[in-house]
Amino acid sequence: MSRYSPEDAMMLAAAAHEVGHAVACQAAGLRVREVRLLSHRGFVTYAEPDPGDQHQVDGELVALLAGPEAGARWAQKHRGLWRGEALRWSRGCSDSDLALFRRTKRNASVSPSRLESRARSLVSAQWGRIDRLSRQLADSGRLPVGQFN
């Protein structure tokens, strides 16, 4: 297990969070416009889902959950937190994502628990890429969107 200062750990977990969003947007066919990280806080901007494309609608909801999931996985892998502890920690930093999820989950074609499962599976399947890109994002503050589109 790697050792990180508290500041580096927060930065890298925040980077993993943002890359998780971007990777999930890519999987949903949502065009990523920007991936940025600014001192422990970041954002991903992407094209709005087509309301007539249920794959994109569900994909946006998965993307909202993939950020906290990726942040939690980073904390598990690199800080040694247990899954529940890591998820609580990560979700504590994801208020706006989770609020948007709660407002829009009624548009989903599946249950919220199914969307959570999809986010967890996607982050697990893409973990090597998310971890690698997280380091790049933490170092440079932004990622080229061509990696996701």
Side-chain angles (χ1 to χ4, degrees):
M1 188 173 332
S2 301
R3 301 268 183 205
Y4 295 98
S5 71
E7 296 80 21
D8 288 345
M10 286 298 293
M11 181 70 80
L12 286 162
H17 176 110
E18 299 309 329
V19 174
H21 285 314
V23 166
C25 285
Q26 178 184 25
L30 298 171
R31 185 164 186 75
V32 176
R33 294 186 177 142
E34 188 172 23
V35 181
R36 302 250 345 243
L37 185 65
L38 310 164
S39 68
H40 309 315
R41 188 167 187 279
F43 58 91
V44 172
T45 57
Y46 56 89
E48 291 290 319
D50 175 359
D53 184 341
Q54 194 62 49
H55 175 71
Q56 285 188 2
V57 172
D58 289 349
E60 179 187 34
L61 291 163
V62 169
L64 290 169
L65 297 173
E69 183 66 39
R73 188 169 180 95
W74 190 94
Q76 280 182 273
K77 297 287 187 185
H78 297 287
R79 298 290 286 184
L81 298 182
W82 293 353
R83 175 156 171 75
E85 182 182 21
L87 207 48
R88 278 189 301 280
W89 174 76
S90 183
R91 287 186 176 200
C93 305
S94 306
D95 293 338
S96 62
D97 295 334
L98 297 175
L100 181 56
F101 178 82
R102 284 189 297 275
R103 286 193 308 272
T104 58
K105 69 182 178 186
R106 68 180 172 280
N107 300 323
S109 65
V110 296
S111 69
S113 62
R114 175 75 66 170
L115 294 167
E116 289 173 5
S117 177
R118 288 181 184 175
R120 188 171 39 258
S121 294
L122 181 107
V123 168
S124 178
Q126 294 290 321
W127 180 247
R129 181 177 180 217
I130 291 169
D131 195 31
R132 180 178 44 82
L133 290 174
S134 296
R135 290 185 200 119
Q136 290 177 13
L137 179 57
D139 289 343
S140 67
R142 79 175 39 208
L143 290 175
V145 295
Q147 296 186 65
F148 304 104
N149 297 322

